[in-house]
Amino acid sequence: MADHSFSDGVPSDSVEAAKNASNTEKLTDQVMQNPRVLAALQERLDNVPHTPSSYIETLPKAVKRRINALKQLQVRCAHIEAKFYEEVHDLERKYAALYQPLFDKRR
């Protein structure tokens, strides 16, 4: 049976959990400052195939086709968005020219 006694209004289980969390954080900090540990982690990460294309190559052909279709839609959206920002830029330039005489007079 767990000890549910209270110390200063806080259950002892909570105090113990806080101590364990603090100790874990200290240990993590110490480990992450060790250059040998960091080098080992980096070596493991370097050996992991983490390119998206390596994952996509393992998918079924139907899924690859769907991914390609989604990419094409995304490209079309990007072109529309680029056109939108070009037009926004043209409007900003137009109105900046209209505001400029007022800014000059105010200055």
Side-chain angles (χ1 to χ4, degrees):
M1 185 183 248
D3 178 24
H4 294 291
S5 62
F6 287 81
S7 169
D8 296 333
V10 179
S12 61
D13 291 345
S14 298
V15 172
E16 193 64 32
K19 286 179 184 177
N20 287 338
S22 177
N23 289 339
T24 301
E25 287 177 19
K26 289 176 186 176
L27 181 60
T28 302
D29 289 343
Q30 290 173 354
V31 168
M32 294 309 290
Q33 292 176 4
N34 185 334
R36 292 191 305 192
V37 170
L38 292 176
L41 283 172
Q42 186 62 49
E43 185 178 334
R44 289 286 300 255
L45 289 172
D46 288 342
N47 293 331
V48 173
H50 53 276
T51 59
S53 62
S54 64
Y55 170 71
I56 291 172
E57 290 170 4
T58 65
L59 297 173
K61 196 171 188 175
V63 176
K64 289 182 196 177
R65 280 196 309 267
R66 282 184 258 154
I67 290 172
N68 191 38
L70 289 170
K71 282 183 182 180
Q72 295 305 316
L73 289 173
Q74 188 63 39
V75 167
R76 289 172 57 191
C77 286
H79 286 293
I80 293 170
E81 187 176 15
K83 181 67 175 161
F84 168 76
Y85 283 115
E86 286 175 12
E87 291 181 20
V88 167
H89 179 67
D90 291 340
L91 272 174
E92 287 176 342
R93 288 179 41 208
K94 174 185 171 184
Y95 281 90
L98 294 173
Y99 281 119
Q100 193 58 49
L102 297 174
F103 293 152
D104 292 341
K105 189 174 185 177
R106 186 171 64 185
R107 188 171 20 136

